[in-house]
Amino acid sequence: MILSSCAALAQAADIAVTLYADAGYPPYSYEKNGKPAGLYYEIVSTAVKRLRGYKVEIQPVPWKRGMSLLKSGNGFALYPPYHNTHDEPWTWPYSLPLFEEKVVAICRKDVLAAKARKRWPEDFYGLTIGNNAGFIVGGESFEAAIRDGRLKMEEGKDVATNLVKLGLKRIDCYINDRIAIQWTLKQLKAEGRYDEGRTHAELAEALVIATEQGFLGYTERDNGRYTYKTDFVRQFDSIIYQMKRNGEIDTIARNFFKTH
């Protein structure tokens, strides 16, 4: 009786924490039947179960809303931003990196046949490039080219939306992580929503733009609201470090992609 009472008290003392997850970035982070899913969910949910003193809920939200929550200080943390303190100064600190991604440009084959597209972004001037809403993945030269009018960018809410737009020739190329593109395109074809070579254009990867890493990013705009932040960051990083060191994250990724 005493032991169970102690356990109940310890459980009651746990701090309730909400982490936000991108709802539209499969297979890494997405919403499935109202719940978070994806590789980053598998990694983060495994890690937070080992935290001492916290009861963690993971809630999927559209990426732009998640960033808005960090910017206003009304959200504690969000995954998986890339490390970008220049454009997103409200995000700090970042966790240890969770996984490495390769950002690529995928284009319609007719766009690639018209001209060699080997340099990013110079060889893409004059084109309309698709991007996920709120994502900053093209690099500084890409952003400058958009400001100068040498490139156009159109934002879609998620990977599937952008791929369908690309297939219907509403955009010329699309930039995002290679695995996210491949995985979503496979899903779209399986569901009959992408008929490559007939209703929709044939696609091919043009080039790798960058190698990036996904993180759990915390708000820097909370003004001390989250008094537990320092301890949470320390514990979470320690657990991720151990998961990397013992190969657990590699195992999670290997099993995830094998079954998805």
Side-chain angles (χ1 to χ4, degrees), residues 184 229 237:
T184 307
K229 185 197 290 184
D237 276 356

Side-chain angles (χ1 to χ4, degrees), residues 5 19 32 42 46 60 72 80 97 103 145 156 160 179 211:
S5 297
L19 304 181
K32 185 176 182 180
E42 299 293 330
T46 299
S72 65
V103 179
I179 291 174
T211 299

Side-chain angles (χ1 to χ4, degrees), residues 104-121 123-125 127-130 151 162-163 165-169 171-176 181 185 194 196 200-209:
V104 302
I106 184 172
C107 306
R108 303 195 317 268
K109 283 189 175 178
D110 62 295
V111 171
L112 297 180
K115 176 186 173 182
R117 313 280 183 185
K118 301 297 183 186
R119 298 174 301 155
W120 178 262
D123 290 341
F124 295 77
Y125 289 167
L127 300 181
T128 299
I129 310 297
L151 277 171
N162 277 298
L163 286 173
K165 285 172 68 176
L166 183 58
L168 294 175
K169 300 189 176 183
I171 55 178
D172 300 306
C173 300
Y174 169 53
I175 54 174
N176 208 334
I181 289 170
L185 189 57
Y194 200 101
E196 190 167 15
H200 299 87
E202 291 185 274
L203 308 178
E205 184 178 308
L207 79 173
V208 176
I209 296 171

Side-chain angles (χ1 to χ4, degrees), residues 39 42-50 98-99 238-256:
L39 175 60
E42 299 293 330
I43 294 169
V44 173
S45 63
T46 299
V48 297
K49 287 172 187 171
R50 299 172 189 171
L98 304 175
F99 194 76
S238 177
I239 292 163
I240 292 296
Y241 175 80
Q242 290 299 330
M243 289 173 68
K244 283 175 169 287
R245 186 177 180 184
N246 64 22
E248 188 174 1
I249 287 180
D250 289 338
T251 300
I252 290 171
R254 192 162 52 247
N255 291 339
F256 179 85

Side-chain angles (χ1 to χ4, degrees), residues 2-248:
I2 295 172
L3 284 174
S4 61
S5 297
C6 289
L9 282 169
Q11 195 171 15
D14 286 351
I15 299 168
V17 175
T18 299
L19 304 181
Y20 293 98
D22 187 353
Y25 187 38
Y28 292 111
S29 181
Y30 59 102
E31 185 174 354
K32 185 176 182 180
N33 301 322
K35 296 181 179 179
L39 175 60
Y40 284 118
Y41 173 72
E42 299 293 330
I43 294 169
V44 173
S45 63
T46 299
V48 297
K49 287 172 187 171
R50 299 172 189 171
L51 293 169
R52 297 182 306 278
Y54 298 95
K55 183 180 180 182
V56 178
E57 177 193 4
I58 300 175
Q59 184 178 327
V61 292
W63 183 252
K64 287 187 83 169
R65 172 159 168 68
M67 270 291 153
S68 178
L69 286 165
L70 292 195
K71 189 175 181 179
S72 65
N74 291 316
F76 176 60
L78 167 73
Y79 69 79
Y82 297 155
H83 195 288
N84 187 351
T85 53
H86 179 267
D87 297 296
E88 298 161 359
W90 51 84
T91 307
W92 188 263
Y94 292 83
S95 69
L96 290 179
L98 304 175
F99 194 76
E100 189 169 275
E101 305 176 26
K102 288 202 182 301
V103 179
V104 302
I106 184 172
C107 306
R108 303 195 317 268
K109 283 189 175 178
D110 62 295
V111 171
L112 297 180
K115 176 186 173 182
R117 313 280 183 185
K118 301 297 183 186
R119 298 174 301 155
W120 178 262
E122 295 89 342
D123 290 341
F124 295 77
Y125 289 167
L127 300 181
T128 299
I129 310 297
N131 186 37
N132 280 24
F135 276 31
I136 303 173
V137 298
E140 290 183 12
S141 297
F142 173 69
E143 299 291 334
I146 292 167
R147 288 194 299 270
D148 296 343
R150 288 174 289 178
L151 277 171
K152 275 187 66 181
M153 182 179 75
E154 280 196 18
E155 291 192 323
K157 71 172 185 175
D158 54 26
V159 184
T161 302
N162 277 298
L163 286 173
V164 171
K165 285 172 68 176
L166 183 58
L168 294 175
K169 300 189 176 183
R170 293 176 186 165
I171 55 178
D172 300 306
C173 300
Y174 169 53
I175 54 174
N176 208 334
D177 167 75
R178 176 188 280 154
I179 291 174
I181 289 170
Q182 292 173 345
W183 190 90
T184 307
L185 189 57
K186 182 180 176 183
Q187 295 290 112
L188 289 171
K189 289 178 179 179
E191 295 165 7
R193 295 167 59 196
Y194 200 101
D195 187 11
E196 190 167 15
R198 287 182 284 273
T199 307
H200 299 87
E202 291 185 274
L203 308 178
E205 184 178 308
L207 79 173
V208 176
I209 296 171
T211 299
E212 297 282 3
Q213 295 173 313
F215 298 82
L216 178 64
Y218 302 88
T219 181
E220 197 187 34
R221 300 281 175 87
D222 58 304
N223 296 315
R225 174 180 181 177
Y226 305 111
T227 55
Y228 50 83
K229 185 197 290 184
T230 300
D231 178 66
F232 188 102
V233 170
R234 180 188 59 77
Q235 282 200 52
F236 185 81
D237 276 356
S238 177
I239 292 163
I240 292 296
Y241 175 80
Q242 290 299 330
M243 289 173 68
K244 283 175 169 287
R245 186 177 180 184
N246 64 22
E248 188 174 1

